[in-house]
Amino acid sequence: MEAQKENILEIKNLHTWFHTANGIVKSVDGVDISLKKGTTLGIVGESGSGKSVTALSVMGLLMGTRGKIEEGNIFLDGEDIVSLDKEKRRKLRGGKISMIFQEPMTSLNPIMTIGKQIVEGILEHQQISRKEAEKKALEMMKKTGVPRAEHMMKEYPFQLSGGQRQRVMIAMAMVCNPEILIADEPTTALDVTIQAQILDLMNQLKKETNSSILFITHDLGVVAEICDDVAVMYCGKVVESGDVRSIFFQPTHPYTKGLLASVPKLGVEADELESIPGNVPNPQELPKGCKFAPRCMFAEDKCRQEEPQLFDLGNGHLSRCWQSGGQL
Ligand SMILES: Nc1ncnc2c1ncn2[C@@H]1O[C@H](COP(=O)(O)OP(=O)(O)OP(=O)(O)O)[C@@H](O)[C@H]1O
Ligand SMILES: [Mg+2]
């Protein structure tokens, strides 16, 4: 399988399963996602749809879990990284690909100063002196807009506010000019004004470094604001993808339509909001046919029997629905 040149990251037919004591959990079960160079792609979907497991598969962070990539390819700049050995995979992390998580406290080392953590990260990937790395770390901290950057370099993670910690995580993630930044719900733990500042910061750094971002979120408002393209995930698969305009103005998959209908709008009372009936099915008891059929008010017999493929609707818009493929 070949990767397309304009795509910095191409995930093809990815299957990541967990082999648990209670059986196999097919968390990611045939995901296709393409991230174009210099753009931001949003991954949305309800809890449990496989967004984080997709991100961890790209990062090569499944060790220590019962998860395994069973099938598929992950092309980074045209090279398939799934088959790389552990050492090569480790070198990519924090170098070519970085990730920031929802709760920075879990990914920062609690007993190492902020400055030291950033410096060690730089030294792992770049052949420069400690002095130069320290200078670089400080410059990066200043760029993130934390107050009194010099002082903060000597502090420990617990001495910082949530928003400051997230800025430090962004500094650590961006200091080696990654080609791809994966952000997994990076702002959900923060209040709205801080959230907006963090998104601005990510956008600004992305422009400066010409990196590309995979942005995982529940928040479609954030997607509209910062993403160029969107992939909607349901039960371990992408059910619809395309550029932001097509997804927001011409959604075709009933699941995407349901997600959009449940976004709060100005002037609409919360209890008037539509929500998608029912719940995401247990990944160990997935229905036959279209995984969304049991919750879909348009479902017909064919939907309950046969799983649709991703139909190409033109202009890069794809939808995994028999109806949008014109086959019902
Ligand atoms: N370490 C693990 N062992 C077993 N199952 C797991 C593991 N990690 C994730 N899963 C399962 O994989 C499925 C997808 O999980 P994932 O964390 O990717 O969801 P998500 O889309 O990121 O959800 P959320 O929005 O809540 O973060 C879930 O059913 C989850 O229970
Ligand atoms: Mg998640």
PDB file of all heavy atoms in Angstrom, residues 34-54:
ATOM      1  N   SER A  34      -6.342  10.461   7.144  1.00  0.00           N
ATOM      2  CA  SER A  34      -5.212  11.114   6.474  1.00  0.00           C
ATOM      3  C   SER A  34      -5.059  12.531   6.992  1.00  0.00           C
ATOM      4  O   SER A  34      -6.025  13.295   7.008  1.00  0.00           O
ATOM      5  CB  SER A  34      -5.441  11.197   4.966  1.00  0.00           C
ATOM      6  OG  SER A  34      -5.620   9.907   4.450  1.00  0.00           O
ATOM      7  N   LEU A  35      -3.844  12.853   7.403  1.00  0.00           N
ATOM      8  CA  LEU A  35      -3.552  14.207   7.901  1.00  0.00           C
ATOM      9  C   LEU A  35      -2.656  14.888   6.880  1.00  0.00           C
ATOM     10  O   LEU A  35      -1.544  14.433   6.609  1.00  0.00           O
ATOM     11  CB  LEU A  35      -2.851  14.095   9.260  1.00  0.00           C
ATOM     12  CG  LEU A  35      -2.322  15.380   9.896  1.00  0.00           C
ATOM     13  CD1 LEU A  35      -3.465  16.348  10.203  1.00  0.00           C
ATOM     14  CD2 LEU A  35      -1.553  15.055  11.181  1.00  0.00           C
ATOM     15  N   LYS A  36      -3.154  15.988   6.309  1.00  0.00           N
ATOM     16  CA  LYS A  36      -2.362  16.699   5.291  1.00  0.00           C
ATOM     17  C   LYS A  36      -1.333  17.590   5.964  1.00  0.00           C
ATOM     18  O   LYS A  36      -1.586  18.140   7.042  1.00  0.00           O
ATOM     19  CB  LYS A  36      -3.285  17.560   4.414  1.00  0.00           C
ATOM     20  CG  LYS A  36      -4.260  16.756   3.599  1.00  0.00           C
ATOM     21  CD  LYS A  36      -5.026  17.678   2.642  1.00  0.00           C
ATOM     22  CE  LYS A  36      -6.393  17.130   2.319  1.00  0.00           C
ATOM     23  NZ  LYS A  36      -7.485  17.770   3.067  1.00  0.00           N
ATOM     24  N   LYS A  37      -0.207  17.755   5.300  1.00  0.00           N
ATOM     25  CA  LYS A  37       0.884  18.577   5.837  1.00  0.00           C
ATOM     26  C   LYS A  37       0.395  19.981   6.173  1.00  0.00           C
ATOM     27  O   LYS A  37      -0.299  20.599   5.388  1.00  0.00           O
ATOM     28  CB  LYS A  37       1.985  18.682   4.778  1.00  0.00           C
ATOM     29  CG  LYS A  37       3.329  18.299   5.298  1.00  0.00           C
ATOM     30  CD  LYS A  37       4.417  18.491   4.277  1.00  0.00           C
ATOM     31  CE  LYS A  37       5.665  17.898   4.856  1.00  0.00           C
ATOM     32  NZ  LYS A  37       6.158  16.736   4.178  1.00  0.00           N
ATOM     33  N   GLY A  38       0.758  20.477   7.362  1.00  0.00           N
ATOM     34  CA  GLY A  38       0.449  21.856   7.739  1.00  0.00           C
ATOM     35  C   GLY A  38      -1.000  22.096   8.118  1.00  0.00           C
ATOM     36  O   GLY A  38      -1.410  23.242   8.278  1.00  0.00           O
ATOM     37  N   THR A  39      -1.792  21.036   8.261  1.00  0.00           N
ATOM     38  CA  THR A  39      -3.207  21.239   8.596  1.00  0.00           C
ATOM     39  C   THR A  39      -3.542  20.632   9.961  1.00  0.00           C
ATOM     40  O   THR A  39      -2.723  19.926  10.552  1.00  0.00           O
ATOM     41  CB  THR A  39      -4.150  20.593   7.549  1.00  0.00           C
ATOM     42  OG1 THR A  39      -4.005  19.170   7.635  1.00  0.00           O
ATOM     43  CG2 THR A  39      -3.817  21.051   6.136  1.00  0.00           C
ATOM     44  N   THR A  40      -4.757  20.920  10.424  1.00  0.00           N
ATOM     45  CA  THR A  40      -5.251  20.338  11.670  1.00  0.00           C
ATOM     46  C   THR A  40      -6.454  19.464  11.365  1.00  0.00           C
ATOM     47  O   THR A  40      -7.390  19.908  10.703  1.00  0.00           O
ATOM     48  CB  THR A  40      -5.661  21.457  12.651  1.00  0.00           C
ATOM     49  OG1 THR A  40      -4.525  22.274  12.918  1.00  0.00           O
ATOM     50  CG2 THR A  40      -6.176  20.883  13.968  1.00  0.00           C
ATOM     51  N   LEU A  41      -6.384  18.214  11.835  1.00  0.00           N
ATOM     52  CA  LEU A  41      -7.504  17.301  11.633  1.00  0.00           C
ATOM     53  C   LEU A  41      -8.139  16.977  12.985  1.00  0.00           C
ATOM     54  O   LEU A  41      -7.432  16.595  13.924  1.00  0.00           O
ATOM     55  CB  LEU A  41      -7.020  16.004  10.973  1.00  0.00           C
ATOM     56  CG  LEU A  41      -8.119  14.960  10.806  1.00  0.00           C
ATOM     57  CD1 LEU A  41      -8.363  14.699   9.323  1.00  0.00           C
ATOM     58  CD2 LEU A  41      -7.798  13.672  11.483  1.00  0.00           C
ATOM     59  N   GLY A  42      -9.434  17.166  13.098  1.00  0.00           N
ATOM     60  CA  GLY A  42     -10.125  16.864  14.345  1.00  0.00           C
ATOM     61  C   GLY A  42     -10.655  15.440  14.316  1.00  0.00           C
ATOM     62  O   GLY A  42     -11.186  14.995  13.296  1.00  0.00           O
ATOM     63  N   ILE A  43     -10.486  14.707  15.425  1.00  0.00           N
ATOM     64  CA  ILE A  43     -11.147  13.404  15.553  1.00  0.00           C
ATOM     65  C   ILE A  43     -12.212  13.548  16.627  1.00  0.00           C
ATOM     66  O   ILE A  43     -11.908  13.909  17.763  1.00  0.00           O
ATOM     67  CB  ILE A  43     -10.160  12.289  15.953  1.00  0.00           C
ATOM     68  CG1 ILE A  43      -9.010  12.206  14.942  1.00  0.00           C
ATOM     69  CG2 ILE A  43     -10.877  10.944  16.039  1.00  0.00           C
ATOM     70  CD1 ILE A  43      -8.043  11.057  15.217  1.00  0.00           C
ATOM     71  N   VAL A  44     -13.471  13.323  16.241  1.00  0.00           N
ATOM     72  CA  VAL A  44     -14.569  13.457  17.197  1.00  0.00           C
ATOM     73  C   VAL A  44     -15.341  12.154  17.299  1.00  0.00           C
ATOM     74  O   VAL A  44     -15.220  11.280  16.449  1.00  0.00           O
ATOM     75  CB  VAL A  44     -15.537  14.611  16.807  1.00  0.00           C
ATOM     76  CG1 VAL A  44     -14.821  15.942  16.786  1.00  0.00           C
ATOM     77  CG2 VAL A  44     -16.184  14.364  15.455  1.00  0.00           C
ATOM     78  N   GLY A  45     -16.133  12.063  18.339  1.00  0.00           N
ATOM     79  CA  GLY A  45     -16.931  10.846  18.557  1.00  0.00           C
ATOM     80  C   GLY A  45     -17.153  10.679  20.041  1.00  0.00           C
ATOM     81  O   GLY A  45     -16.396  11.196  20.863  1.00  0.00           O
ATOM     82  N   GLU A  46     -18.213   9.932  20.370  1.00  0.00           N
ATOM     83  CA  GLU A  46     -18.547   9.739  21.783  1.00  0.00           C
ATOM     84  C   GLU A  46     -17.464   8.964  22.515  1.00  0.00           C
ATOM     85  O   GLU A  46     -16.618   8.320  21.906  1.00  0.00           O
ATOM     86  CB  GLU A  46     -19.868   8.956  21.890  1.00  0.00           C
ATOM     87  CG  GLU A  46     -21.099   9.792  21.667  1.00  0.00           C
ATOM     88  CD  GLU A  46     -22.293   8.898  21.401  1.00  0.00           C
ATOM     89  OE1 GLU A  46     -22.325   8.243  20.351  1.00  0.00           O
ATOM     90  OE2 GLU A  46     -23.196   8.856  22.250  1.00  0.00           O
ATOM     91  N   SER A  47     -17.570   8.986  23.833  1.00  0.00           N
ATOM     92  CA  SER A  47     -16.644   8.254  24.685  1.00  0.00           C
ATOM     93  C   SER A  47     -16.621   6.779  24.280  1.00  0.00           C
ATOM     94  O   SER A  47     -17.662   6.178  24.032  1.00  0.00           O
ATOM     95  CB  SER A  47     -17.144   8.397  26.121  1.00  0.00           C
ATOM     96  OG  SER A  47     -16.169   7.917  26.980  1.00  0.00           O
ATOM     97  N   GLY A  48     -15.432   6.221  24.179  1.00  0.00           N
ATOM     98  CA  GLY A  48     -15.308   4.798  23.870  1.00  0.00           C
ATOM     99  C   GLY A  48     -15.252   4.487  22.382  1.00  0.00           C
ATOM    100  O   GLY A  48     -15.190   3.324  21.990  1.00  0.00           O
ATOM    101  N   SER A  49     -15.244   5.527  21.525  1.00  0.00           N
ATOM    102  CA  SER A  49     -15.273   5.248  20.084  1.00  0.00           C
ATOM    103  C   SER A  49     -13.905   4.863  19.524  1.00  0.00           C
ATOM    104  O   SER A  49     -13.798   4.456  18.372  1.00  0.00           O
ATOM    105  CB  SER A  49     -15.873   6.429  19.313  1.00  0.00           C
ATOM    106  OG  SER A  49     -15.237   7.619  19.639  1.00  0.00           O
ATOM    107  N   GLY A  50     -12.838   5.014  20.338  1.00  0.00           N
ATOM    108  CA  GLY A  50     -11.514   4.561  19.894  1.00  0.00           C
ATOM    109  C   GLY A  50     -10.565   5.687  19.522  1.00  0.00           C
ATOM    110  O   GLY A  50      -9.512   5.445  18.915  1.00  0.00           O
ATOM    111  N   LYS A  51     -10.893   6.906  19.916  1.00  0.00           N
ATOM    112  CA  LYS A  51     -10.059   8.065  19.560  1.00  0.00           C
ATOM    113  C   LYS A  51      -8.675   7.969  20.208  1.00  0.00           C
ATOM    114  O   LYS A  51      -7.647   8.084  19.544  1.00  0.00           O
ATOM    115  CB  LYS A  51     -10.758   9.375  19.996  1.00  0.00           C
ATOM    116  CG  LYS A  51     -12.161   9.538  19.449  1.00  0.00           C
ATOM    117  CD  LYS A  51     -12.802  10.862  19.851  1.00  0.00           C
ATOM    118  CE  LYS A  51     -13.030  11.070  21.339  1.00  0.00           C
ATOM    119  NZ  LYS A  51     -14.016  10.117  21.935  1.00  0.00           N
ATOM    120  N   SER A  52      -8.664   7.742  21.536  1.00  0.00           N
ATOM    121  CA  SER A  52      -7.375   7.691  22.237  1.00  0.00           C
ATOM    122  C   SER A  52      -6.552   6.481  21.809  1.00  0.00           C
ATOM    123  O   SER A  52      -5.332   6.577  21.671  1.00  0.00           O
ATOM    124  CB  SER A  52      -7.580   7.657  23.754  1.00  0.00           C
ATOM    125  OG  SER A  52      -8.163   8.867  24.169  1.00  0.00           O
ATOM    126  N   VAL A  53      -7.210   5.360  21.600  1.00  0.00           N
ATOM    127  CA  VAL A  53      -6.461   4.162  21.202  1.00  0.00           C
ATOM    128  C   VAL A  53      -5.831   4.378  19.811  1.00  0.00           C
ATOM    129  O   VAL A  53      -4.713   3.943  19.552  1.00  0.00           O
ATOM    130  CB  VAL A  53      -7.351   2.900  21.243  1.00  0.00           C
ATOM    131  CG1 VAL A  53      -6.612   1.690  20.700  1.00  0.00           C
ATOM    132  CG2 VAL A  53      -7.816   2.622  22.678  1.00  0.00           C
ATOM    133  N   THR A  54      -6.515   5.101  18.938  1.00  0.00           N
ATOM    134  CA  THR A  54      -5.926   5.455  17.638  1.00  0.00           C
ATOM    135  C   THR A  54      -4.660   6.285  17.861  1.00  0.00           C
ATOM    136  O   THR A  54      -3.605   6.009  17.281  1.00  0.00           O
ATOM    137  CB  THR A  54      -6.940   6.259  16.786  1.00  0.00           C
ATOM    138  OG1 THR A  54      -8.110   5.465  16.600  1.00  0.00           O
ATOM    139  CG2 THR A  54      -6.357   6.636  15.433  1.00  0.00           C
TER     140      THR A  54
END
